[in-house]
Amino acid sequence: MTDRVWFDAAKGDIPQWAASMPKDADGTTIDWDWVRSLDLAHGVGTIPESTPQSIHDALKADYATREHLESIIAQCNSTFMTDYDRFIGSYRLPRALAYANRRLNDNINTLLHLGEQQHLWVVSRERRGRTTVAVLRPYSGSRPSNDDQGMLDLSGETGDASAGNTAAENSDVKFPTTVALDDIQDRTAAILDARAERRKAQRFQKRAGDAAMARANLSGATSPGGAALPGGAAASGNATGHHPKPDWRDAYLPGRDVDAVMGIDIETTGIDPARDYIIDVGFEFMNMASPRPAGEPETYAYEQGYYAAGDAYGQSRLAFGVPPENAALGNALIAKLTGIDVRGRSSEAGYRLFDEWPQAQAGLLARLTQQPYVAHNATFEHSWFMLNVAGYAESYRAGRITIIDTLPMSRQWDPGAVPTNEHPYGDNTLDAYAKRQGALDSAHNERHLGLEDSHIMLVAMKHHLAALKAQRKGPWGSTGRAGVGGKSCGRKR
């Protein structure tokens, strides 16, 4: 059980956030008094009576609460990172909101399952735009519903003996005539799509403004004659033949002086750090240029017997649990992908939850700040650390954390990452990158466990950097950077 005192401290930060963040990610004015009223430590979900209408009403209320919480959480990162006067001193309030939201999401999934058990609806998980949502449809054991009104008929009075057993006849539960489905559909996809459209419009407006400034010769981007000035558009500086365009990920590329790094990979119960849990963390260290430290054990037994430690050292594998409500529902997708069955990872079975374990967070933060850390698609790990690791956001904003990403290394500097119809930007998965760089045999696949994936990533990175140096490309090319490179805040390079 976590120390609950920090929730009170987090609520004590509300005046700072309220002064700097009056609106959420959807442009709605935040009711900070409502946030202050929430019992973040003990749960914000609704526990209903076991009746169909109560289950419906609880699900509706929980969806509304989750939408409010997540719209606030989604705005916190940009507000915190652009708080240049440092009026907001801590990121613990967003972490507390995310903590509560994870348990709320478990409650929502429990209600969805309970509704299925009572034949109130059938749940399907469907990809909609940028996310996967739970879609509720009428239970097929009842008579046909009126889809236009989104109602599920549970009366069992079909008047047709050939219709077979009804939901009411198959259950001891007494059902009302109808339960509305249209007002308890997951709106996450529509909300995310609307946010994306607003961001797109804002970017377009900014580009239009920048272009207008350039045409007026106020930005310094053009010469008086209108031609682009030298250096106005940088070349990509990649080592491939297809010359991918520079993008924001290039900020995470390593520099030519990178050496000691920590590779890290996490496994989670889903893709949303405000809804899901960290269940596996693996990390190890490797020097990209200097010799391996003397005195470190020379061998390590990975799960894959064909993995050799080589230059890696300081390997660690950490396992974490989930709340009982999450464990009870299981997670077949994650079990298939990673081999981790959350049904056996309940906190009641003795597993500690990462977001309830301050010592584990402090230990990880200490390692993340002592040298650059490397991840493949590092923005994923970064987003989880922001909402799970006490002190991470503050350290990142202060420039004490440097992040290197092997995904843009694959995309920009790997000749094998050629665009295809299937992969318009090239195949830049860790599995493909590791195989091209000789870190993973073609007969085997990425394991999807933290330590093993960290290992093949670092081996691939070291092989890749050695080849680039010999070719005078990548960090050693005309657009390469001196120093360790990577993404950090608060200092110029």
Side-chain angles (χ1 to χ4, degrees):
M1 189 63 68
T2 188
D3 179 3
R4 307 294 181 177
V5 175
W6 78 277
F7 291 100
D8 294 331
K11 284 190 176 182
D13 297 338
I14 286 177
Q16 303 169 19
W17 285 93
S20 301
M21 197 174 85
K23 294 187 177 182
D24 62 24
D26 300 317
T28 303
T29 299
I30 299 172
D31 184 351
W32 287 106
D33 288 334
W34 173 78
V35 176
R36 191 177 286 106
S37 72
L38 297 174
D39 188 349
L40 302 177
H42 298 97
V44 297
T46 305
I47 307 300
E49 297 177 2
S50 188
T51 63
Q53 193 60 44
S54 296
I55 295 170
H56 166 280
D57 294 347
L59 181 59
K60 183 177 180 179
D62 282 0
Y63 270 150
T65 301
R66 189 176 73 177
E67 288 176 10
H68 289 323
L69 277 177
E70 292 185 347
S71 64
I72 295 172
I73 295 169
Q75 186 62 26
C76 287
N77 181 72
S78 61
T79 298
F80 187 74
M81 296 307 299
T82 57
D83 178 30
Y84 302 116
D85 293 328
R86 300 299 188 258
F87 186 70
I88 303 172
S90 172
Y91 207 69
R92 58 192 165 194
L93 180 61
R95 288 194 299 106
L97 297 180
Y99 176 97
N101 196 68
R102 292 183 199 105
R103 278 75 184 167
L104 172 63
N105 197 60
D106 290 344
N107 201 65
I108 287 172
N109 287 327
T110 299
L111 291 171
L112 291 173
H113 182 64
L114 184 58
E116 281 195 300
Q117 285 185 320
Q118 295 199 10
H119 297 165
L120 303 182
W121 49 65
V122 174
V123 181
S124 61
R125 306 282 175 173
E126 299 180 11
R127 188 74 184 180
R128 298 280 178 88
R130 293 164 173 79
T131 190
T132 299
V133 298
V135 179
L136 305 187
R137 291 189 172 87
Y139 174 65
S140 61
S142 65
R143 77 182 185 185
S145 65
N146 183 340
D147 291 336
D148 292 337
Q149 296 189 17
M151 303 294 287
L152 170 58
D153 188 327
L154 295 169
S155 65
E157 298 175 358
T158 64
D160 183 357
S162 66
N165 292 336
T166 65
E169 292 169 341
N170 286 328
S171 173
D172 294 333
V173 178
K174 301 299 182 183
F175 298 109
T177 301
T178 56
V179 171
L181 298 184
D182 56 344
D183 62 345
I184 51 173
Q185 297 291 350
D186 189 344
R187 298 177 58 246
T188 303
I191 292 170
L192 294 180
D193 286 346
R195 283 182 198 160
E197 287 301 315
R198 284 194 297 272
R199 290 194 299 268
K200 181 179 178 181
Q202 291 167 357
R203 289 195 298 269
F204 178 82
Q205 187 176 28
K206 183 180 184 301
R207 286 196 296 268
D210 291 345
M213 290 285 286
R215 286 194 298 271
N217 199 29
L218 297 176
S219 67
T222 59
S223 68
L229 290 174
S236 63
N238 61 82
T240 72
H242 57 91
H243 301 286
K245 295 180 180 179
D247 67 13
W248 59 269
R249 298 176 186 83
D250 294 353
Y252 294 85
L253 289 168
R256 65 179 68 99
D257 300 317
V258 65
D259 189 15
V261 297
M262 183 182 86
I264 189 166
D265 182 77
I266 63 174
E267 302 300 332
T268 61
T269 59
I271 62 172
D272 191 336
R275 293 187 183 182
D276 302 305
Y277 299 89
I278 293 175
I279 53 176
D280 182 75
V281 176
F283 59 84
E284 67 179 25
F285 300 84
M286 188 176 290
N287 296 351
M288 296 292 115
S290 64
R292 185 174 181 274
E296 293 286 346
E298 296 184 359
T299 59
Y300 182 87
Y302 297 92
E303 184 186 87
Q304 275 67 16
Y306 49 86
Y307 283 10
D311 294 331
Y313 58 96
Q315 295 91 340
S316 291
R317 186 195 308 275
L318 308 172
F320 301 101
V322 297
E325 296 78 9
N326 188 284
L329 294 173
N331 194 321
L333 176 63
I334 297 303
K336 181 179 180 181
L337 183 68
T338 68
I340 300 173
D341 189 343
V342 298
R343 293 176 298 178
R345 287 284 185 97
S346 170
S347 56
E348 292 180 340
Y351 280 86
R352 296 286 299 272
L353 276 66
F354 185 75
D355 65 358
E356 293 186 352
W357 198 345
Q359 293 82 3
Q361 296 168 36
L364 182 58
L365 179 62
R367 289 166 174 80
L368 292 171
T369 55
Q370 69 184 17
Q371 73 292 292
Y373 79 81
V374 182
H376 195 80
N377 190 20
T379 53
F380 180 82
E381 274 74 12
H382 173 71
S383 67
W384 284 81
F385 296 157
M386 288 286 287
L387 289 177
N388 279 274
V389 180
Y392 177 89
E394 295 86 342
S395 295
Y396 177 72
R397 188 176 68 171
R400 294 193 290 270
I401 290 176
T402 299
I403 310 170
I404 294 174
D405 194 340
T406 51
L407 189 150
M409 288 183 63
S410 173
R411 182 171 178 170
Q412 296 288 4
W413 296 338
D414 188 338
V418 294
T420 64
N421 290 335
E422 184 178 1
H423 300 285
Y425 300 100
D427 189 350
N428 298 301
T429 62
L430 176 59
D431 183 87
Y433 176 64
K435 286 176 179 175
R436 289 197 300 267
Q437 298 302 325
L440 184 63
D441 189 277
S442 60
H444 301 98
N445 295 317
E446 174 188 356
R447 176 58 183 86
H448 292 292
L449 278 180
L451 180 57
E452 280 68 25
D453 290 356
S454 296
H455 182 64
I456 62 171
M457 174 186 66
L458 288 184
V459 173
M461 178 181 176
K462 187 162 187 172
H463 289 178
H464 196 186
L465 287 175
L468 291 169
K469 185 176 183 179
Q471 299 164 15
R472 308 304 297 173
K473 295 179 179 179
W476 294 272
S478 60
T479 60
R481 290 187 289 172
V484 299
K487 177 74 164 60
S488 63
C489 297
R491 71 174 187 267
K492 296 181 179 179
R493 296 187 174 278

